Amino acid sequence: MSKKNNTPLDIFMEAIGLYFSNFTKFVRYMTFPVLGQIAGLLLVFLITYLYTKNLPPLIDKFSALNNFNILILLSVLITLPGLAIFVKAFWDYLVAYGAVNSMYENMQKSGRVYDFGAHTELIKRRTIPFIGLWFLFGIFSALSLCPLFLIICGILAIYFVLVFQVFTFEPELSPIGCVKRSLMLVKGHFASTFMLMALAGALTYIFIPQLFIKVFDLTGINDFLARGIIPVISQLPMPDLTQYGVKSPTEYDVAIFTIKVFAAQILIQYTLPMRSILWSMWYKELGGRGKYAGGYAENEIKSAGKKSKGKKRPSEKLMEESHKKYGKKKLDRNILRRAAEKDDEI
């Protein structure tokens, strides 16, 4: 459990422990947001591949297809299912940035996490300001791509690293207010925040992805997957780099590179909860005093939970049945304990 005056290393190790102690729950929670994005993109590429491959005979068979506008319209329509899956998964992934922060208080108190739907609903209730915050983040990311702003944006990224924690824990603030609040919290703690960012980045963006990619290489998984997507790669124009004195990549090289990029992205996204926990802990360490900083308002969580799911937990059903049958008499403790154990399994 987090205590004041923890070093960045203390917080880093505790965040890892909280993440892996709830690993299976986080994996289930993140599976659609992560794999849904991949599935949506693969569906788009697969349908586009089949469409392109079968287009000439289709045009010969249906003369109406020999029209540029119709071909473009069909291209858009056939990719809509895949795009819809991708957009829904991507939105859920963005929401997870805030929802996992909301779960942190439960993990700090009990070491466990539950009621994912309720915590997710707390963020979705504030969709417009949440989109506004991501809009600001998008502008900042676009500026960081410019070499002239690279160093400045790199420094500001450290000051703005707590914006999503501020958004979750201090709901009265606007998106711009969240940015200012993050800057004030990090001010005077730049070096330690940078150290924490370096540790988290090295673990979740480099070490874990590269470890799994190496295992996939040794077991032949990368090779197997790469050969499966070569037919799609072969339909794409391959760049000729020989004029620059560089060997042009083969279809197999491009396929291997694509598999490694997708594998790394999946692993990075699955470790999002670890980073959210870590920055939530750092937010509190630096003196965050938001609405939820000292403990969640029960009515907020209960209200969000009712909206996010209709079915009641086993312990709630037992309590209601008991009240109907016996009035307000207390249930036997062993019964409540067994019901709580069922709750934990949900």
Side-chain angles (χ1 to χ4, degrees):
M1 198 171 290
S2 183
K3 297 178 181 179
K4 282 294 176 183
N5 299 320
N6 284 330
T7 66
L9 185 59
D10 292 333
I11 288 178
F12 177 67
M13 297 305 297
E14 186 174 349
I16 293 175
L18 287 172
Y19 172 73
F20 281 106
S21 63
N22 295 277
F23 180 74
T24 56
K25 293 180 181 179
F26 281 129
V27 167
R28 288 197 298 268
Y29 178 65
M30 296 300 298
T31 289
F32 176 74
V34 175
L35 298 187
Q37 294 181 59
I38 303 300
L41 290 176
L42 289 179
L43 184 59
V44 169
F45 284 122
L46 177 61
I47 292 177
T48 302
Y49 165 71
L50 295 174
Y51 175 70
T52 303
K53 186 177 182 180
N54 294 284
L55 188 57
L58 286 173
I59 292 177
D60 292 338
K61 190 173 182 180
F62 303 100
S63 58
L65 294 178
N66 194 18
N67 182 291
F68 180 76
N69 293 331
I70 292 178
L71 291 177
I72 293 297
L73 178 62
L74 284 176
S75 299
V76 173
L77 290 176
I78 63 177
T79 56
L80 280 179
L83 289 175
I85 295 172
F86 172 80
V87 170
K88 177 61 170 64
F90 184 64
W91 169 247
D92 287 353
Y93 180 77
L94 297 183
V95 169
Y97 264 90
V100 176
N101 296 330
S102 176
M103 299 168 197
Y104 167 65
E105 289 289 344
N106 291 348
M107 287 184 283
Q108 185 191 36
K109 293 175 181 177
S110 64
R112 296 180 295 111
V113 60
Y114 46 87
D115 284 342
F116 283 86
H119 294 287
T120 300
E121 184 62 30
L122 282 175
I123 303 302
K124 289 184 176 180
R125 283 181 172 186
R126 302 168 59 207
T127 294
I128 293 179
F130 190 60
I131 292 175
L133 186 61
W134 274 107
F135 179 73
L136 292 177
F137 182 81
I139 294 176
F140 178 79
S141 299
L143 288 175
S144 68
L145 296 176
C146 177
L148 294 176
F149 298 108
L150 187 60
I151 296 177
I152 296 175
C153 287
I155 294 172
L156 290 177
I158 298 172
Y159 281 109
F160 298 157
V161 73
L162 299 178
V163 290
F164 290 101
Q165 284 65 40
V166 174
F167 177 87
T168 303
F169 296 125
E170 304 185 35
E172 71 279 2
L173 295 179
S174 66
I176 295 178
C178 291
V179 173
K180 292 179 179 178
R181 176 65 170 150
S182 176
L183 191 151
M184 293 304 297
L185 286 170
V186 176
K187 187 177 180 180
H189 304 277
F190 182 88
S192 52
T193 302
F194 174 76
M195 178 182 174
L196 199 54
M197 182 181 288
L199 288 171
L203 177 65
T204 63
Y205 284 88
I206 300 175
F207 179 75
I208 291 178
Q210 291 305 314
L211 176 63
F212 276 83
I213 288 173
K214 187 63 177 179
V215 172
F216 291 170
D217 273 335
L218 294 175
T219 56
I221 294 176
N222 284 339
D223 181 71
F224 172 77
L225 294 175
R227 296 187 183 282
I229 66 170
I230 283 179
V232 178
I233 300 294
S234 64
Q235 300 296 314
L236 302 175
M238 301 295 290
D240 183 12
L241 302 179
T242 54
Q243 55 182 321
Y244 303 107
V246 180
K247 180 182 176 182
S248 295
T250 65
E251 294 175 355
Y252 179 78
D253 294 333
V254 175
I256 284 289
F257 176 77
T258 302
I259 292 299
K260 289 184 177 181
V261 168
F262 271 87
Q265 187 63 25
I266 288 172
L267 292 163
I268 289 170
Q269 292 189 346
Y270 263 118
T271 54
L272 166 68
M274 185 192 300
R275 294 188 294 275
S276 292
I277 293 169
L278 182 147
W279 293 121
S280 293
M281 295 175 67
W282 191 235
Y283 164 86
K284 296 209 37 182
E285 185 69 25
L286 296 185
R289 288 290 184 271
K291 181 177 179 181
Y292 301 117
Y296 282 103
E298 293 296 329
N299 59 331
E300 291 281 350
I301 295 295
K302 290 178 180 178
S303 176
K306 288 178 182 178
K307 186 174 180 179
S308 65
K309 57 182 180 180
K311 65 178 183 179
K312 293 183 174 61
R313 296 161 69 87
S315 56
E316 293 173 335
K317 290 181 180 180
L318 271 176
M319 189 63 72
E320 286 186 0
E321 292 173 2
S322 174
H323 286 169
K324 288 178 182 178
K325 189 172 182 179
Y326 303 109
K328 297 293 183 179
K329 293 180 180 179
K330 292 183 178 179
L331 285 174
D332 178 76
R333 289 183 178 179
N334 289 328
I335 296 177
L336 287 176
R337 178 178 55 78
R338 290 193 296 271
E341 289 174 353
K342 291 182 179 179
D343 285 348
D344 293 338
E345 295 173 359
I346 296 177

